Amino acid sequence: MSADHAADHGQIIPPGGTIGILGGGQLGRMAAMAAARLGYRCHIYCPDEGAPASDVAAATTVAAYDDLHALERFARAVDVVTFEFENVPAEATEKLAALKPTRPAPRVLHLTQQRLREKNFLTAINVPTTRYLEVAHKEALPQAVQALGRPCVLKSASFGYDGKGQVRIDPETDLGSVWKAMGSELAILEAFVDFQREISVVIARGVDGAMELYVPVENQHRHHILDTTIAPARISAATAQKAEAIARHIAQEIKLVGLLGVEMFVTKAGDVLVNELAPRPHNSGHWTIDACLTSQFEQFIRAVCGLPLGSPERHSDAVMKNLLGDDVSHWKQILSEPGAKLHLYGKAEARSGRKMGHVTRLSPKTN
Ligand SMILES: Nc1ncnc2c1ncn2[C@@H]1O[C@H](COP(=O)(O)OP(=O)(O)OP(=O)(O)O)[C@@H](O)[C@H]1O
Ligand SMILES: [Mg+2]
């Protein structure tokens, strides 16, 4: 049972109920669409007017993530609370969890919000990661770089996404400029992984502890942003089993209720190292909408509402490509392509690098 907060007794929220989602981006939008198909209403909480999720939700509260009065009103208006965005202050999640079942629990968000906490947790449960060190101030950087060796990567401990707050340190990099470029008070230094490929596993865990996971997929990044996901990943059965076992172990140890994206590196030696965790639907799981019996978004809603989990089985292989910035202007061409499924997020302004939509191209299942 997930009952580590007063309001959560592991209860089921039946169809007809209202799901509160913190965050108004495309993940919330696709979650709300899946929720609607199961007869739920979604109430979005986010700081911006006209967010992608609001367009398809029954209600929206526009307020800051630290507005405790607005959070309380929101909690009273919904039956269960979840997140599509994990950088919500601890006071906010504690406030919500005191009033309504909040899944995943504040503890899970707290752990995954900060890279050092996250990696220390993974280490404590014997999940392999790349070697890393805490760097608490600028003056400590040279010694840490010395200890891990170059190349290495300096990352801000909190609030990183799409490669923001990250600086790679190569043999010729001048350490003088690196700290400022990283731009934060507290950092983690990671040994650079010369990976063979990047993969991820999206796993769901229900209030009863039941787990279902999607086949490991392969992720290719461009300019630090996910560009393409290939499902399934082109890895050996042994590597896939390793990745799946790691995902199950983490979901169980973190007492997840909801969905978790586990990003991993496959090293040239075939080892699997965890890079980071995302306690919500994951960009590398978008292919499941078109290629699996249950999409990651439906699975997310099922897990959060205490419903039986659905089958994650895939009926097709898939390649998902993010449409970033101007890529979205090719919508007409994509629509005329057989086997291509277009998803647009309804964002007005196609700023460079902004996730505007994605396209999933299906092909017959191979194995
Ligand atoms: N230690 C490392 N060694 C090699 N490559 C790395 C390392 N850390 C990060 N990267 C590369 O940078 C990408 C983004 O890093 P990471 O996932 O830590 O950051 P993020 O900003 O949270 O990104 P996102 O939000 O897209 O997941 C990784 O997917 C990987 O390609
Ligand atoms: Mg990442």
Side-chain angles (χ1 to χ4, degrees), residues 230-306:
I230 301 169
R234 296 164 297 179
I235 53 177
S236 67
T239 303
Q241 273 164 21
K242 237 185 261 183
E244 291 178 9
I246 287 172
R248 282 181 197 282
H249 180 57
I250 297 170
Q252 198 148 13
E253 290 295 320
I254 211 169
K255 298 192 192 80
L256 174 75
V257 176
L259 209 63
L260 183 73
V262 184
E263 299 178 10
M264 307 178 220
F265 299 121
V266 182
T267 68
K268 291 192 169 141
D271 292 326
V272 176
L273 307 178
V274 171
N275 171 34
E276 60 166 357
L277 308 176
R280 49 159 171 79
H282 194 261
N283 195 166
S284 74
H286 292 0
W287 68 281
T288 61
I289 301 174
D290 299 305
C292 295
L293 295 183
T294 310
S295 76
Q296 68 161 348
F297 296 101
E298 179 177 334
Q299 200 73 302
F300 174 56
I301 297 301
R302 287 179 181 235
V304 161
C305 293

Side-chain angles (χ1 to χ4, degrees), residues 115 119 130-131 152-153 155 160-166 168 190-195 198 221 224-226 263 265 275-276 280 282 355:
R115 295 184 193 278
K119 285 220 165 56
T130 190
R131 290 178 300 125
C152 52
V153 189
K155 302 181 179 179
Y161 72 96
D162 290 346
K164 291 184 175 63
Q166 281 192 34
R168 177 170 160 163
E190 297 181 4
F192 186 79
V193 182
D194 184 19
F195 53 79
E198 286 191 78
H221 292 78
H224 296 285
I225 304 176
L226 181 66
E263 299 178 10
F265 299 121
N275 171 34
E276 60 166 357
R280 49 159 171 79
H282 194 261
K355 290 173 180 166

Side-chain angles (χ1 to χ4, degrees), residues 15 25-26 36 40 45 54 59 68 81 90 102 110 115 169 193 229 265 269 276 283 301 309 318 340 345 360-361:
Q26 65 270 11
Y40 292 95
Y45 186 108
S54 299
L68 295 180
V81 175
T102 297
H110 183 73
R115 295 184 193 278
I169 300 173
V193 182
T229 293
F265 299 121
E276 60 166 357
N283 195 166
I301 297 301
L309 298 180
Y345 308 149
T360 304
R361 296 186 167 91

Side-chain angles (χ1 to χ4, degrees), residues 325-333:
D326 278 343
D327 293 349
V328 71
S329 64
H330 302 300
W331 59 267
K332 206 166 179 182
Q333 199 179 320

